[in-house]
Amino acid sequence: MERLDSCPLTGVKIINQTNDGENIWYSILINKRKFELMFCKKCCKRMMNELEVLPPHHVMKGLFLNDKLGQLDGNLIHWDTSEEGIDLKNEIQQIAYPQSPQELLENLFVHLISLQDSKGSTVSFSFEDSDSPNKLFFKNKQEVIFFIEALQGKGYVEVGNITSANAQCRITYDGLNAFIQLSEEGSNSNRCFVAMSFQEETRPIRTAIKNALIKTGFVPILIDEQHISSEKTINDEIIAGIKKSKFCIADFSYHKNGVYFESGFALGQGKQVIYTCE
């Protein structure tokens, strides 16, 4: 492998490429942002034979534009190896991003809400920058229009003028109410369900997890700290708490059976689970 014409991750034309006997360096521009990548040549060859493992180019662009691949910048990139540097294959498998139609729809809806100057104002999604759809993990503007029309079908937006440059719409009253519910549960929630053994020995673990969540802007949900109304069972509250959470932390210290159930239920809900164990 002497030279690459385009970035195998994004399909973007390569600039400032340099090769030596072991590594290849190059730069790419995505949405006028510059990214510097350095691949191990042997690993790059292996990756080229497994490109089907990678998300599509437009999704990879979205990962770069949303700073989910910042760890690649300035570090040596490997592929499926334990060598010092970044194991890209493993990193890609760890990253959460909108994939299902529902997740893409919700992500677009939240973005449109953020464009409002005030409730009821008209917002405009620009197509002028060819990478704007990519930042929301859409392939092109046709996909964006399709999902905006889907939001209209739900009664969440009123679609106005759509041109080659932009799509204009207005968030409806029902849409504003739907956004409140969306913010309180699912992928846009600021809650994290913590599944763990509640005993004296795990108190330091509990404190560390709670502090980390609070410091990063999340609200920890621990079932023994919740007020459970008389008509609800603990299982009801656990299921409701997981559904309202963005993700779950499951600590398997002391192997509490409930932690296995709760983490499995969270996975079944399509939520990311972070596993810890002493």
Side-chain angles (χ1 to χ4, degrees), residues 111-131:
H111 178 70
L112 293 176
I113 290 279
S114 72
L115 296 177
Q116 289 185 123
D117 290 328
S118 60
K119 293 179 178 64
S121 63
T122 298
V123 300
S124 177
F125 187 100
S126 175
F127 303 128
E128 286 293 301
D129 187 331
S130 61
D131 289 309

Side-chain angles (χ1 to χ4, degrees), residues 22-37:
E22 297 182 353
N23 304 315
I24 177 169
W25 296 268
Y26 63 81
S27 304
I28 54 174
L29 288 175
I30 306 175
N31 199 10
K32 300 180 181 178
R33 290 181 58 187
K34 189 175 183 179
F35 298 93
E36 305 278 352
L37 303 178

